[in-house]
Amino acid sequence: MVFEMTGESLVLKEFFISARAPNCRRISSDHDEKEYKFRTVISSSNMFGETAVRLDGFSKWKKEEKKSIERLLKYIDPSLDIFIDGSIDPGIEKIKVSFELPKPWEEERWVEHGINIASQLQMKATRDSIKRMIEKVGKDELRILSELEKLKVVDRNITAAMVDKYVVKDIEVEVEALVFTFLSCGPEFLCDFDHRQLPFPLFSSVLSKILIEIGTVLEHKTAGGTLSWKEVKSLSEATGISASRISKIVGFNFSGSGEQNIDITASLDRRKIASLLLCLQDLDEEFKRGDINQEIAYFALIKSSLQV
């Protein structure tokens, strides 16, 4: 049977496939000779018994590669399970299954998603426990899965107290929030944290990464006012940057989320980004040589940001 899998939840797709076909063979978008590999799996199945196949990232395959596979799918034995990650020719007999990932602003749906992941692991998680976990690791289903798998060793019934005790807050989640405060508010970001406790090299590396992402967005973003969610999604697909990160960069605000994102691209251009990246590089080198300390590094960054 051919399964057309849509939606962005990698975790739910994995659970679905492993429940039906634990020994599934994979053909990925970065493989060469995809048709040959697919034919080989089919031949092996005919000779040695049923073997399931997963076609990863099918929507991103080259047009001719997709067409060659779709031609073969019309003649596949229905007893062979083919899991296709993406949409296929409407004329092919298939079962459609959708694995949607909650949108960044859908707080309650993210909690339900976490509870569902726990259930798939034969665990029970309270709503409060998943809420606490999201606060610590962010809305990242792979991180949620990983933390639940660790907690499973302790107990299959997950409580908020267990999350508080065993799940370490992702410092990068905190640092990213500080970086966006810095990019939006400048000097005021120093009021939001004790800069003596956050290593400057860590802050600098996260800031550099986000500045490069902003530059990438600027390369693809057309001039204009506030973007729609459809335009945010389009930018995400074009750049490979997550839609939630794009939202923060371009100032898209989700209804009911309580967040007030500011369009960072309105105050940064390519020249300013290049200047800040050079400044960060110089400050990193001075810090590592011991020429400046933590406090001076942060204040020097503020001074340089005001001058670009």
Side-chain angles (χ1 to χ4, degrees), residues 152-203:
K152 189 176 181 179
V153 178
V154 180
D155 198 317
R156 288 177 180 267
N157 297 309
I158 309 303
T159 64
M162 285 177 63
V163 173
D164 287 337
K165 183 175 181 180
Y166 296 111
V167 177
V168 178
K169 189 163 188 177
D170 190 333
I171 190 169
E172 191 160 325
V173 172
E174 290 187 275
V175 177
E176 285 181 0
L178 288 169
V179 165
F180 277 100
T181 303
F182 164 69
L183 292 172
S184 303
C185 309
E188 294 176 27
F189 97 107
L190 288 175
C191 302
D192 293 337
F193 79 113
D194 185 349
H195 54 272
R196 292 167 296 183
Q197 301 301 315
L198 176 61
F200 181 77
L202 174 58
F203 182 84

Side-chain angles (χ1 to χ4, degrees), residues 89-139:
D89 187 330
I92 296 172
E93 186 176 347
K94 57 189 174 287
I95 293 177
K96 295 184 177 183
V97 281
S98 179
F99 303 97
E100 297 298 333
L101 197 63
K103 302 295 187 296
W105 64 89
E106 294 176 329
E107 305 287 344
E108 288 304 311
R109 281 198 63 205
W110 268 102
V111 173
E112 292 292 343
H113 189 53
I115 291 172
N116 185 18
I117 292 173
S119 176
Q120 295 287 343
L121 293 169
Q122 284 75 55
M123 301 168 68
K124 289 184 179 180
T126 65
R127 299 186 70 82
D128 284 345
S129 69
I130 298 299
K131 284 181 179 178
R132 291 291 296 122
M133 188 173 291
I134 290 172
E135 287 173 9
K136 290 198 168 197
V137 304
K139 293 169 184 171

